[in-house]
Amino acid sequence: MIRVALVDDQALMRAGFRALLDAEDGIEVVGEAPDGEQGVALVRAQVPDIALIDVQMPVMTGIEATRRIATDPALRTVRVVILTNYGLDAYVFEALRAGASGFLLKDTEPADLLQAIQVVVRGEALLSPSVTRTLIGEFVARPPDRATAPGLEALTRREREVTALAARGLSNEEIAGHMVISPFTAKTHVSRAMTKLGARDRAQLVVFAYESGLVTARGG
């Protein structure tokens, strides 16, 4: 059973998501909250698998709520998905840096929402290729900030290579084909890199790769 918490200041939006999710076998909505502060309290009380959090809310923003969840060791298994009306705006970018596993537009088709929940539960980044390219564009437009991304020296050559490929949006299977290794080996390298960097999921590998300068505008 996948346990989901809903955090959104619009009651109608929460009701719509709850109706959709409760009707799906294998998914349970464990609670709702109307703002970020109550959302963090809900997540701490229920420790759901997924927290769907609106990016802009009163009392505490979705970004701050995400940061508090992501930095709480007791909530390490919780995956945050940001809900937004506007696509990859500055708020979503900051939410990914704060620890979100991805984002969804509020007008996402029901089937896409259900698939997205499955993707995030598996520990994958909820970033489509087009979104990944946009995210990359945000990073490469800025100079690397190695001071905010320690840990590069801890990675082996192979781990640096798979991290760079994952940051370009490649799946484990695609990484395996590029490096001429098995998908299992590719997954192992990715997992080890995530462990060494303290990354919650692949979305955080993307953040690390660009903030550290491991990947650059010229392909790094």
Side-chain angles (χ1 to χ4, degrees), residues 55-93:
V55 70
Q56 293 178 287
M57 292 181 293
V59 184
M60 180 189 294
T61 67
I63 295 172
E64 180 58 29
T66 297
R67 183 175 294 110
R68 295 194 184 192
I69 292 169
T71 55
D72 188 335
L75 304 178
R76 184 167 180 80
T77 60
V78 178
R79 296 290 176 261
V80 173
V81 175
I82 290 294
L83 300 171
T84 177
N85 290 316
Y86 308 110
L88 192 66
D89 57 17
Y91 293 107
V92 173
F93 177 75

Side-chain angles (χ1 to χ4, degrees), residues 21 44 104 110 119 146:
L21 297 176
R44 284 175 174 160
L104 283 171
V119 167
R146 291 173 177 79

Side-chain angles (χ1 to χ4, degrees), residues 143-201:
D145 185 3
R146 291 173 177 79
T148 65
L152 184 61
E153 69 283 351
L155 300 183
T156 66
R157 180 182 62 79
R158 283 296 220 188
E159 289 164 355
R160 293 189 188 195
E161 187 174 354
V162 298
T163 297
L165 292 173
R168 296 190 183 104
L170 274 65
S171 66
N172 288 339
E173 289 72 19
E174 291 169 332
I175 291 173
H178 184 89
M179 298 178 64
V180 195
I181 57 178
S182 71
F184 177 80
T185 300
K187 181 179 180 180
T188 299
H189 284 313
V190 170
S191 297
R192 286 176 178 169
M194 288 171 55
T195 298
K196 289 181 179 180
L197 299 173
R200 293 164 64 89
D201 52 34

